[in-house]
């Protein structure tokens, strides 16, 4: 028993002595450092965003043409539109030109059969024979003058019916009666409307065709009531057509309507436009009417923010803040807009990044 008790006492003393001794830590071997990927947020401060994405600048002050915008459509020049009508009753046996055809002045449009025209040709031949007989027999001067007067009356009757000078001369030379009277174009232009078909009967004064000279057209534009007092007859303007974006047409104000349209509060004006052959009636067109000079501030078109049918600029305040300002702008040149109202020359505006900043100001992002 004593043999086992002595080792146990020895081990207990060693353990108790180690617990009573002061504790000293032994340094561990240094571990190799492992870099972990850092997690950064995408948000940036306002100053950082402004410095990196937004550029502000002062507008350019310049004297520009004061232009009143117009919108409207082209139309036929009514002063150069003619109705082709019959001067005698008859039957339209043939029609030579139909809608859309280009015709020249004096070109035959239709062949009209009329007994009255045949009778007029017979009277002319009879008067011509009488006049020649009296001239050959050397009759008295009074009879010769009467015969000549009768001949002139017969010729005039043919003209009233619509016969041309060539028709009358051909009849006197050939002495052959023609069954049809050729109805000729009174002007050069395009056939815009045809009222009768071949074989139809036409009465005296009935129109069977409409012609329009398209060498000049009318532009009917509308001017807002705040601008109409600055418009005068004869003022020049530049016309643009959406169908022909690379061309501009010169025109001038011809007529101003005496009243305003009560529904649109606009004044209708009529402008005369010289057609080079490319314009067509009913085309939509816009125009800029120059009414003088005025001071304006020029800004890049990218600086203008369009929202709810209104134009805005982002103005940088002296304390570094940004505010949205409603302005009145007009296109000046390609990529440049003219600020007419709402901005001072000493105010900085955002010329790059205006759309993004507008979204931030409106809370969209």
């Amino acid at each position: 028993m004593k043999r086992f008790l002595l080792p146990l006492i020895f081990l207990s003393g060693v353990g108790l002595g180690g617990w009573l001794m002061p504790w000293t830590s032994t340094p561990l071997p240094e571990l190799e450092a492992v870099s972990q990927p850092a997690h950064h947020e995408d948000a940036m401060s306002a100053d950082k965003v402004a410095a990196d994405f937004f550029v502000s600048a002062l507008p350019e002050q310049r004297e520009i043409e004061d232009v009143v915008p117009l919108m409207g459509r082209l139309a036929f020049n009514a002063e150069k539109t003619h109705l082709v009508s019959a001067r005698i009753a008859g039957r339209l046996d043939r029609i030579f030109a139909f809608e859309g055809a280009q015709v020249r002045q004096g070109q035959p449009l239709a062949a009209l059969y009329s007994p009255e025209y045949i009778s007029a040709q017979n009277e002319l031949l009879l008067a011509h024979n009488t006049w020649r007989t009296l001239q050959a027999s050397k009759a008295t001067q009074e009879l010769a003058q009467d015969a000549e007067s009768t001949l002139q009356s017969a010729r005039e009757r043919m003209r009233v019916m619509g016969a041309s000078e060539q028709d009358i001369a051909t009849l006197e030379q050939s002495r052959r009666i023609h069954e049809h009277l050729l109805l000729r174009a009174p002007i050069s232009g395009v056939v815009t409307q045809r009222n009768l078909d071949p074989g139809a009967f036409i009465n005296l004064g009935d129109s069977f065709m409409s012609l329009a000279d398209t060498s000049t057209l009318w532009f009917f534009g509308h001017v807002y009531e705040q601008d109409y007092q600055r418009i005068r007859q004869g003022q020049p303007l530049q016309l643009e057509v959406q169908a022909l974006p690379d061309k501009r047409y010169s025109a001038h104000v011809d007529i101003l309507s005496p009243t305003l349209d009560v529904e649109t509060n606009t004044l209708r004006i009529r402008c005369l436009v010289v057609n080079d052959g490319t314009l067509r009636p009913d085309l939509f067109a816009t125009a800029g009417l120059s009414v003088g000079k005025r001071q304006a501030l020029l800004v890049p078109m990218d600086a203008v923010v369009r929202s709810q049918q209104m134009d805005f600029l982002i103005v940088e305040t002296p304390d570094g803040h940004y505010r949205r300002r409603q302005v009145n702008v007009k296109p000046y040149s390609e990529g440049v807009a003219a600020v007419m109202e709402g901005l001072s020359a000493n105010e900085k505006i955002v010329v790059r990044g205006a759309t993004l900043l507008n979204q931030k100001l409106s809370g969209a992002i």
Side-chain angles (χ1 to χ4, degrees):
M1 183 70 177
K2 292 181 180 179
R3 187 176 53 184
F4 292 102
L5 185 60
L6 289 176
L8 181 60
I9 295 174
F10 175 77
L11 292 175
S12 299
V14 173
L16 182 61
W19 180 76
L20 293 175
M21 291 177 62
W23 171 263
T24 57
S25 63
T26 304
L28 298 174
E30 184 175 358
L31 299 177
E32 183 179 359
V34 179
S35 60
Q36 299 292 333
H39 298 280
H40 299 285
E41 295 183 359
D42 293 335
M44 296 182 180
S45 65
D47 295 338
K48 180 67 175 178
V49 173
D52 291 345
F53 297 99
F54 306 138
V55 176
S56 301
L58 292 173
E60 179 185 357
Q61 189 171 8
R62 184 183 300 180
E63 185 181 55
I64 66 172
E65 291 282 344
D66 192 4
V67 179
V68 175
L70 302 175
M71 294 183 296
R73 289 189 179 275
L74 297 172
F76 285 113
N77 185 349
E79 295 179 351
K80 294 190 176 183
T81 301
H82 288 260
L83 296 177
V84 183
S85 57
R87 300 182 182 182
I88 56 175
R91 184 181 67 242
L92 290 173
D93 281 350
R94 295 184 62 189
I95 294 179
F96 305 121
F98 293 84
E99 291 86 347
Q102 292 282 344
V103 297
R104 302 182 307 275
Q105 184 177 7
Q107 178 179 335
L109 300 177
L112 177 68
Y113 173 79
S114 173
E116 186 178 355
Y117 178 64
I118 296 176
S119 176
Q121 292 181 88
N122 285 320
E123 291 181 6
L124 176 60
L125 290 179
L126 180 59
H128 190 269
N129 291 335
T130 303
W131 175 77
R132 289 183 60 183
T133 301
L134 292 177
Q135 289 290 330
S137 64
K138 297 181 181 180
T140 61
Q141 184 177 2
E142 184 177 355
L143 291 176
Q145 289 178 350
D146 289 343
E148 184 176 358
S149 178
T150 302
L151 177 60
Q152 293 297 335
S153 297
R155 289 171 177 169
E156 186 62 27
R157 185 186 178 191
M158 294 275 293
R159 296 189 186 98
V160 172
M161 290 182 175
S164 65
E165 295 296 333
Q166 181 181 357
D167 295 335
I168 297 173
T170 301
L171 175 62
E172 292 181 355
Q173 292 175 4
S174 65
R175 305 181 63 81
R176 294 180 55 187
I177 301 295
H178 296 277
E179 290 185 352
H180 294 90
L181 170 63
L182 295 180
L183 303 181
R184 301 180 182 274
I187 62 170
S188 297
V190 61
V191 178
T192 59
Q193 186 177 358
R194 179 177 52 86
N195 303 323
L196 296 175
D197 295 324
F201 187 84
I202 187 170
N203 291 313
L204 174 64
D206 290 346
S207 62
F208 72 95
M209 189 175 292
S210 299
L211 300 180
D213 182 0
T214 58
S215 59
T216 59
L217 297 175
W218 281 348
F219 168 70
F220 289 100
H222 297 270
V223 183
Y224 293 109
E225 59 178 348
Q226 63 266 25
D227 295 325
Y228 83 90
Q229 292 184 347
R230 298 187 292 170
I231 299 176
R232 299 291 182 271
Q233 190 173 4
Q235 285 178 322
L237 69 154
Q238 293 292 320
L239 195 70
E240 296 182 0
V241 180
Q242 290 184 347
L244 305 168
D246 298 331
K247 289 190 175 183
R248 284 185 171 86
Y249 301 88
S250 298
H252 66 270
V253 179
D254 192 18
I255 297 292
L256 282 76
S257 175
T259 59
L260 269 71
D261 188 337
V262 295
E263 295 183 358
T264 61
N265 290 330
T266 59
L267 177 72
R268 192 186 191 199
I269 66 171
R270 193 187 78 190
C271 305
L272 185 66
V273 185
V274 178
N275 187 8
D276 60 355
T278 58
L279 295 176
R280 296 290 185 271
D282 293 326
L283 282 176
F284 179 80
T286 58
L289 179 61
S290 178
V291 294
K293 301 278 188 178
R294 68 175 300 176
Q295 293 291 329
L297 302 176
L298 302 184
V299 299
M301 192 67 74
D302 294 339
V304 181
V305 179
R306 186 75 173 172
S307 177
Q308 297 181 354
Q309 305 300 320
M310 294 182 292
D311 294 318
F312 297 90
L313 292 175
I314 309 300
V315 180
E316 181 181 357
T317 60
D319 56 359
H321 291 85
Y322 298 95
R323 298 185 182 276
R324 194 168 66 165
R325 177 87 56 80
Q326 182 179 353
V327 293
N328 179 17
V329 300
K330 295 181 180 180
Y332 177 71
S333 63
E334 185 176 359
V336 179
V339 183
M340 314 305 292
E341 295 176 349
L343 185 68
S344 301
N346 58 353
E347 290 184 300
K348 281 188 175 183
I349 62 169
V350 176
V351 296
R352 191 180 70 185
T355 302
L356 177 61
L357 186 55
N358 178 69
Q359 295 175 352
K360 292 177 65 66
L361 292 175
S362 61
I365 57 175

